[in-house]
């Protein structure tokens, strides 16, 4: 009986620890109104991106759902309009696995939009995409990082014109597990390392972008959204699927909880001094410096220009 009591107590302690570790959520309490503002959210048809877009629409923004699948995006748009009553929500198609698609999307935004106040580079994938894209880049690296790098550069003119404006890059704590190597940026290192390295790139890109934007009222932040029960785990299989389903059922954040740090970095007032920094749970944190090292930002920027073939007349930084 005593042993059973001990086992149950230990199980309860572990359960509470895990629950707190995963579920602990700081909510964005900012009341910022976004009427008159325009926000792009990539990957806004589901998961964290959908919840962020919903929140921005509630605040009155013009929200551009930048998605690869028109049908899914239109369903999301319909739900957002129905829930918020804000019909200034539009769908624009972009496939981040294609640099041509990113260029066409940016061109359309630059031609048709009057302003851009926040760009949220949220779309991402995991556990897939070890092969090369049509552009000769590792698919997952392109979707999670290279396309955001290109898109941000191509939209820099309108972001500057709309200043004060913000660029938000959704990274992950997975960055801590990366064996980052600048020389292997476009080398397949297995889906786990590809994912972790793409998320390091999100952080380094944000730091370098902030550096290049010094003196300009465009600020940028990277963030970890938490571990969130979304479709990001769609490619998981085997025993890991059982484990993730257990975690989803008991511990993981909801998409609404996971969206809080995106919303915070997009709307919170007075965080401009933290441009270039990394956020978790609506708080500026930087646990990455020691593992990644501070010297890769510039090298990554130069290599990214080369790999996405950013032309000199497209560079605004
Ligand atoms: N969930 C977590 O625990 C977690 C933890 C750390 C970081 N993150 C990061 O959070 C971000 C959002 O992920 P999520 O959890 O919300 O995942 P999700 O539910 O799978 O949503 C990902 C979004 O990205 C879109 N996307 C994927 N490939 C794309 C492409 N080639 N072109 C355009 N859009 C594409 C998806 O579109 P489709 O629906 O058409 O596939 C979907 O809208 C990602 O950057 C992820 O790395 C998530």
């Amino acid at each position: 009986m005593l042993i059973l009591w001990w086992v149950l107590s230990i199980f309860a302690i572990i359960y509470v620890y895990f629950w707190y570790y995963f579920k602990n959520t700081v909510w964005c309490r900012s009341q910022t109104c976004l009427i008159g503002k325009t926000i792009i959210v990539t990957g806004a048809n589901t998961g964290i991106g959908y919840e962020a877009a919903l929140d921005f629409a509630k605040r009155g923004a013009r929200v551009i759902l930048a998605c690869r699948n028109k049908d899914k995006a239109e369903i999301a748009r319909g739900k957002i309009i129905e829930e918020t009553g804000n019909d200034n929500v539009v769908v624009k198609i972009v496939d981040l696995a294609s640099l041509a698609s990113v260029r066409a999307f940016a061109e359309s935004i630059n031609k048709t939009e009057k302003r851009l106040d926040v760009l949220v580079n949220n779309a991402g994938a995991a556990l897939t995409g070890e092969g090369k894209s049509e552009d000769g880049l590792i698919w997952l690296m392109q979707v999670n990082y290279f396309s955001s790098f290109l898109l941000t550069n191509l939209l820099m003119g309108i972001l500057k014109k709309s200043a004060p404006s913000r660029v938000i890059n959704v990274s992950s704590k997975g960055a801590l597990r990366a064996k980052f190597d600048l020389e292997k940026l476009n080398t397949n290192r297995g889906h786990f390392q590809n994912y972790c390295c793409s998320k390091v790139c999100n952080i380094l890109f944000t730091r370098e972008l902030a550096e290049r934007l010094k003196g300009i009222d465009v600020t940028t932040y990277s963030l970890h959204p938490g571990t969130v029960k979304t479709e990001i785990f769609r490619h998981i299989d085997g025993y890991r699927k059982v484990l993730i389903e257990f975690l989803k059922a008991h511990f993981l954040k909801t998409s609404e909880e996971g969206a809080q740090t995106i919303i915070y970095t997009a709307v919170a007032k007075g965080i401009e001094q933290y441009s270039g920094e990394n956020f978790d749970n609506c708080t500026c944190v930087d646990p990455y410096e020691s593992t990644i090292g501070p010297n890769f930002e510039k090298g990554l920027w130069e290599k990214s220009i080369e790999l996405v073939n950013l032309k000199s007349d497209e560079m605004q930084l």
Side-chain angles (χ1 to χ4, degrees):
M1 191 62 188
L2 192 65
I3 289 176
L4 184 65
W5 180 245
W6 270 105
V7 170
L8 284 176
S9 303
I10 289 167
F11 183 78
I13 290 167
I14 293 172
Y15 192 94
V16 170
Y17 172 79
F18 269 74
W19 192 88
Y20 182 79
Y21 179 80
F22 286 115
K23 282 292 273 183
N24 177 29
T25 300
V26 177
W27 290 79
C28 173
R29 302 285 177 206
S30 167
Q31 299 295 318
T32 303
C33 169
L34 295 176
I35 291 172
K37 308 285 185 195
T38 299
I39 303 194
I40 293 177
V41 183
T42 66
N45 57 285
T46 188
I48 301 165
Y50 171 82
E51 290 294 338
L54 176 68
D55 181 278
F56 299 145
K58 277 185 191 153
R59 292 170 190 266
R62 170 172 171 77
V63 186
I64 299 172
L65 312 178
C67 304
R68 63 173 165 175
N69 182 303
K70 189 158 175 46
D71 293 343
K72 287 190 198 174
E74 287 296 350
I75 292 170
R77 174 176 177 265
K79 282 186 349 199
I80 292 174
I81 292 175
E82 193 183 319
E83 192 170 334
T84 63
N86 176 354
D87 59 7
N88 201 0
V89 178
V90 295
V91 166
K92 283 201 187 268
I93 299 304
V94 61
D95 180 357
L96 300 179
S98 157
L99 298 180
S101 174
V102 173
R103 284 203 151 78
F105 173 82
E107 194 183 338
S108 158
I109 296 292
N110 284 326
K111 269 194 188 144
T112 58
E113 295 299 321
K114 290 189 188 72
R115 57 182 304 115
L116 177 58
D117 298 279
V118 185
L119 167 63
V120 183
N121 289 312
N122 161 75
L127 302 156
T128 185
E130 290 178 69
K132 297 244 167 142
S133 71
E134 64 184 31
D135 301 294
L137 300 173
I138 299 296
W139 190 95
L140 193 69
M141 287 292 290
Q142 179 164 347
V143 169
N144 286 6
Y145 164 64
F146 287 119
S147 285
S148 305
F149 173 84
L150 177 63
L151 183 61
T152 307
N153 273 280
L154 296 177
L155 295 179
M156 195 41 71
I158 190 169
L159 282 161
K160 281 184 185 170
K161 203 177 79 182
S162 315
S165 53
R166 296 181 181 183
V167 177
I168 289 146
N169 296 310
V170 179
S171 178
S172 166
K173 255 188 187 162
L176 284 169
R177 310 279 298 276
K179 296 185 175 78
F180 189 71
D181 183 343
L182 206 49
E183 297 310 314
K184 293 187 179 157
L185 214 49
N186 198 28
T187 303
N188 176 30
R189 303 176 66 198
H191 61 69
F192 180 70
Q193 273 305 315
N194 290 346
Y195 180 79
C196 297
C197 289
S198 72
K199 294 293 154 184
V200 171
C201 289
N202 298 145
I203 294 168
L204 295 176
F205 166 49
T206 306
R207 285 188 196 164
E208 181 61 17
L209 185 59
E211 199 56 35
R212 287 171 187 253
L213 286 167
K214 271 195 176 140
I216 301 170
D217 211 355
V218 183
T219 53
T220 180
Y221 314 92
S222 62
L223 64 95
H224 169 62
T227 312
V228 189
K229 41 185 161 189
T230 66
E231 292 178 32
I232 197 94
F233 303 106
R234 65 185 97 177
H235 299 290
I236 215 162
D237 54 14
Y239 76 91
R240 289 194 188 90
K241 193 167 178 63
V242 179
L243 179 65
I244 207 72
E245 289 307 325
F246 174 79
L247 288 176
K248 271 184 177 179
H250 292 268
F251 302 116
L252 302 198
K253 288 185 179 182
T254 62
S255 294
E256 189 185 5
E257 290 167 335
Q260 293 308 307
T261 307
I262 295 183
I263 298 163
Y264 179 81
T265 49
V267 306
K269 298 201 192 311
I271 62 167
E272 290 76 9
Q273 60 183 306
Y274 300 113
S275 184
E277 301 285 343
N278 193 51
F279 283 70
D280 184 2
N281 251 340
C282 300
T283 309
C284 181
V285 290
D286 200 351
Y288 302 99
E289 188 88 15
S290 52
T291 33
I292 303 168
N295 301 317
F296 290 119
E297 294 91 333
K298 289 196 172 21
L300 175 66
W301 190 279
E302 294 308 323
K303 276 198 179 283
S304 304
I305 288 179
E306 203 182 296
L307 287 166
V308 305
N309 194 17
L310 189 71
K311 301 178 187 74
S312 50
D313 62 334
E314 292 174 330
M315 286 182 212
Q316 304 189 46
L317 285 165

